[in-house]
Amino acid sequence: MMSPGCPKERLAQAGLGALRLHPPRAKAEVAGRRGAEAGEARVAMSGLSRLFGRGKKEKGPTPEEAIQKLKDTEKILIKKQEFLEQRIQQELQMAKKHGIKNKRAALQALRRKKRLEQQLAQTDGTLSTLEFQREAIENATTNAEVVRTMELAAQGMKKAYQDMDIDKVDELMADITEQQEVAQQISDAISQPVGFGDVVDEDELLEELEELEQEELARDLLTVGDKEEEPPIELPSVPSIHLPAGPAPEADEDEEALKQLAEWVS
């Protein structure tokens, strides 16, 4: 319940009083105030929506665009590094030039050199951060591409096996095994020798062979004492001719050739 002194209560009383005094005009004024209040509320809500990000979001850059932007920024920072290094060398040469002659100018050059070195260190750190960020985006892009490829491969494998049933595969393998067993049985059956009624017992053949071997052994034992003694083996006699110990000397050959030549001349 509103207190008698609050602004809303006073506004309501004033509105009611106006309605009693001038009903048509009062209604129009009240409707106008309500419309203005509604407009102000819509404006306030629109501002809050923009403030808290309920408006339309802007589309972010693609990974390729971000990588290219980082590369461009790295080039700028590298140029800045080169410029700062040149300035540092210039200030160092300036400090050496003045030296003791102009101490104030030498100190100023060294101060500028220190500031430039600080800027160079900051630039180095910023460049390292950008390089790390670029490499992270490149790795993320590569990983995303790998994941997409793996997903496509999984879908392809799923499609390849979608018409296959493991129970049907088991039945197929069982049928193949059964057919192989039947084929082996057929091969064994047709590879056995067939005598066309001439069936021979293998045990009887072995028994007959053993009897033959016993008879042959008994015959050999009986004929051992009847064999004549074999004559001794005569060895060849040793020749009595003496063989030359080595080739004839070359001088004897020359003398023989001279004798033949003298006989021919005479």
Side-chain angles (χ1 to χ4, degrees):
M1 186 174 180
M2 293 182 295
S3 61
C6 67
K8 291 184 179 181
E9 181 65 23
R10 289 197 299 270
L11 181 61
Q13 291 177 0
L16 291 174
L19 287 174
R20 294 191 187 95
L21 294 176
H22 306 285
R25 188 176 64 183
K27 288 181 181 180
E29 291 179 356
V30 171
R33 285 197 297 271
R34 289 179 179 176
E37 290 176 356
E40 291 177 357
R42 285 194 297 271
V43 172
M45 289 300 294
S46 177
L48 290 174
S49 298
R50 288 193 299 271
L51 179 62
F52 290 102
R54 293 182 181 179
K56 185 178 180 181
K57 295 183 179 180
E58 296 181 358
K59 186 179 179 181
T62 62
E64 291 78 10
E65 294 174 351
I67 291 172
Q68 186 60 41
K69 186 64 176 178
L70 288 170
K71 288 182 178 179
D72 296 339
T73 308
E74 288 175 8
K75 292 179 181 179
I76 294 173
L77 291 177
I78 290 173
K79 291 181 179 179
K80 185 177 181 181
Q81 283 179 332
E82 295 174 354
F83 172 74
L84 291 174
E85 289 174 353
Q86 292 177 358
R87 287 288 310 277
I88 290 171
Q89 293 297 325
Q90 291 176 0
E91 296 299 336
L92 182 60
Q93 295 296 329
M94 185 68 67
K96 290 180 180 180
K97 178 180 178 181
H98 291 291
I100 303 175
K101 297 179 182 178
N102 192 345
K103 192 174 182 180
R104 183 179 59 81
L107 291 175
Q108 290 292 336
L110 291 176
R111 291 191 185 95
R112 288 192 297 269
K113 173 178 167 295
K114 289 293 183 182
R115 288 196 300 270
L116 292 171
E117 288 175 349
Q118 292 177 358
Q119 294 180 17
L120 181 60
Q122 293 175 356
T123 305
D124 292 341
T126 304
L127 184 60
S128 299
T129 302
L130 292 180
E131 289 176 351
F132 175 78
Q133 199 171 15
R134 175 176 53 81
E135 292 173 358
I137 296 176
E138 290 175 349
N139 292 334
T141 304
T142 304
N143 293 336
E145 186 65 26
V146 171
V147 170
R148 283 194 293 268
T149 304
M150 294 173 65
E151 184 178 3
L152 290 175
Q155 292 176 359
M157 186 178 294
K158 184 178 180 181
K159 187 175 181 181
Y161 288 117
Q162 66 181 359
D163 297 331
M164 294 185 182
D165 187 1
I166 186 64
D167 295 332
K168 293 181 179 180
V169 174
D170 291 338
E171 293 177 0
L172 176 62
M173 295 304 299
D175 292 340
I176 292 174
T177 303
E178 183 178 357
Q179 294 300 323
Q180 288 178 348
E181 292 177 355
V182 172
Q184 185 65 35
Q185 291 175 2
I186 293 173
S187 298
D188 294 340
I190 63 177
S191 62
Q192 292 179 359
V194 178
F196 298 101
D198 186 13
V199 180
V200 180
D201 191 359
E202 189 75 17
D203 294 335
E204 292 180 359
L205 294 176
L206 293 174
E207 185 177 355
E208 184 177 357
L209 178 61
E210 186 177 357
E211 291 177 356
L212 292 175
E213 290 178 351
Q214 292 294 332
E215 291 177 0
E216 186 68 23
L217 181 60
R219 190 180 298 111
D220 292 339
L221 292 175
L222 291 174
T223 57
V224 168
D226 298 338
K227 289 184 179 180
E228 297 179 356
E229 294 182 358
E230 295 180 356
I233 299 174
E234 296 181 358
L235 297 176
S237 59
V238 179
S240 59
I241 302 172
H242 295 284
L243 297 176
E250 189 175 352
D252 296 340
E253 294 179 0
D254 295 340
E255 290 179 359
E256 185 67 24
L258 290 174
K259 288 180 180 180
Q260 292 178 1
L261 180 60
E263 291 177 359
W264 181 75
V265 172
S266 62

